[in-house]
Amino acid sequence: MNQAALVQRLGRFLPSGRSLVIGIPFGFLTLFFLVPFLVVLKISLSDQEFSIPPYSDLTSVEDFTLSIRLNFEHYRTIFTDNLYLLSYLSSLKVAALNTLICLLIGYPTAYLIARASPRNRNLLLMAIILPFWTSYLIRVYAWIGLLKDQGLINQVLLWTGLVDTPLRLYRNDIGLHVGLAYSYLPYLILPLYAHLVKMDTRLLEAAHDLGAKAWESFLTITLPLSTRGIVAGSLLVFIPSVGEYVIPEILGSSDSMMIGRVMWDDFFNNTDWPVASAATCVMVLLLLLPMAWFQTVQNKELKRA
């Protein structure tokens, strides 16, 4: 067998370039998302024990008999205990409001960057990306110095005479939403900018030539063409906001009910890993619903195209 025939025969057993490109992200998601999720799912179906680790095995062998014990009691607790139900509802409400705030600030910002000159566009994009070069925790802590009663914002307001007493901006819902909006705003701006910068501006010029006003062009051309960017950016903001723990702990009220805090308490204070894992699984499934909806809508649009 000559060398060319050998290479051709071996090539049949090697993955194609397309399979390799798809396989790398698929393997990454399997290794770092699916496998950890299956481990958490396994813990959620076990019993709590005072041991290391603090949960029982799902299987046991006795007298050559394999027994599998799945405990669904933790899921019943999740759906019947008001603490978890109220925490989920509160987290969804906070995440939805944060998404709306980011959308109101992020859309004009993304539009401004997309319509700027190439040189200014790069500078503006750098201004959006630059905070990522600093630690997320340090950036959140920095807001304490700005929001507290003796912070920079209150000092400026008092100095200008706009207020007589310091405003309560720290350790309440205002501080929570300021921290969330600041931290997740780039996740909305960047995908939205990617859609707006590709938009054909000749459509706007044609609408202007036909007598359409600026707001009519925006509502009939710009907004519909940027819908995918709005949805993608909103999901990138909404999903991590639901399970956020650090910002509510540092900037939010001490009695705010976020599911991230509840899971932290179950994991590290109560050492009840099965219930915390059940709460995690329910949260993941809850967050998969909007992603599945978005994927369904995208598939329908591709079929129409």
Side-chain angles (χ1 to χ4, degrees):
M1 182 182 297
N2 57 32
Q3 186 176 2
L6 179 62
V7 171
Q8 186 177 6
R9 177 165 293 185
L10 290 175
R12 296 176 184 173
F13 299 98
L14 295 176
S16 63
R18 183 173 181 273
S19 300
L20 192 62
V21 170
I22 297 175
I24 292 174
F26 184 78
F28 180 87
L29 290 175
T30 301
L31 184 61
F32 294 105
F33 177 76
L34 183 60
V35 172
F37 178 75
L38 291 177
V39 172
V40 173
L41 180 63
K42 172 202 166 191
I43 297 174
S44 71
L45 298 173
S46 61
D47 295 322
Q48 183 189 17
E49 288 186 348
F50 293 100
S51 61
I52 301 175
Y55 58 87
S56 64
D57 290 331
L58 297 184
T59 59
S60 61
V61 179
E62 187 173 353
D63 296 333
F64 301 100
T65 303
L66 175 64
S67 300
I68 301 176
R69 176 182 169 79
L70 302 179
N71 187 352
F72 292 94
E73 177 66 20
H74 310 305
Y75 286 93
R76 190 180 71 83
T77 302
I78 296 297
F79 288 107
T80 55
D81 192 330
N82 285 335
L83 171 66
Y84 295 97
L85 295 176
L86 293 176
S87 298
Y88 279 121
L89 292 176
S90 175
S91 299
L92 291 174
K93 176 185 171 186
V94 169
L97 184 56
N98 180 47
T99 304
L100 179 61
I101 294 172
C102 288
L103 190 59
L104 293 176
I105 301 173
Y107 198 101
T109 307
Y111 189 85
L112 173 68
I113 298 173
R115 296 292 169 265
S117 64
R119 181 183 176 187
N120 292 333
R121 187 183 302 162
N122 293 333
L123 291 175
L124 292 171
L125 282 175
M126 183 60 70
I128 299 296
I129 297 171
L130 203 58
F132 284 100
W133 295 4
T134 309
S135 167
Y136 166 77
L137 195 59
I138 292 176
R139 284 186 283 129
V140 175
Y141 265 111
W143 275 101
I144 296 177
L146 297 174
L147 297 175
K148 63 183 182 180
D149 292 351
Q150 298 79 24
L152 180 62
I153 294 176
N154 272 315
Q155 286 184 2
V156 171
L157 292 175
L158 290 170
W159 179 71
T160 56
L162 294 175
V163 297
D164 298 326
T165 56
L167 299 178
R168 291 285 299 164
L169 304 174
Y170 172 55
R171 280 293 183 188
N172 54 21
D173 288 345
I174 296 176
L176 171 64
H177 286 292
V178 168
L180 286 174
Y182 166 76
S183 299
Y184 292 109
L185 187 59
Y187 296 105
L188 192 139
I189 291 176
L190 294 177
L192 193 52
Y193 158 78
H195 280 75
L196 288 171
V197 77
K198 292 187 296 185
M199 194 178 73
D200 190 351
T201 55
R202 290 176 299 180
L203 296 172
L204 297 176
E205 295 172 1
H208 178 72
D209 293 340
L210 294 173
K213 297 180 180 177
W215 63 270
E216 291 176 325
S217 301
F218 175 78
L219 292 178
T220 56
I221 298 175
T222 306
L223 194 59
L225 291 178
S226 59
T227 303
R228 285 188 183 181
I230 294 174
V231 175
S234 298
L235 287 177
L236 288 176
V237 172
F238 179 80
I239 290 173
S241 298
V242 173
E244 179 61 46
Y245 168 76
V246 173
I247 295 174
E249 186 69 19
I250 296 177
L251 300 178
S253 171
S254 58
D255 57 353
S256 65
M257 298 181 65
M258 295 282 288
I259 192 62
R261 272 187 169 183
V262 175
M263 287 191 292
W264 176 278
D265 288 339
D266 283 337
F267 264 116
F268 299 104
N269 296 335
N270 304 330
T271 326
D272 195 347
W273 288 23
V275 169
S277 298
T280 305
C281 291
V282 172
M283 187 186 73
V284 171
L285 294 176
L286 198 65
L287 296 178
L288 285 177
L289 291 177
M291 295 178 66
W293 169 79
F294 179 58
Q295 188 64 37
T296 304
V297 171
Q298 273 198 325
N299 291 337
K300 287 182 179 178
E301 290 183 356
L302 288 174
K303 288 181 180 178
R304 288 176 192 165

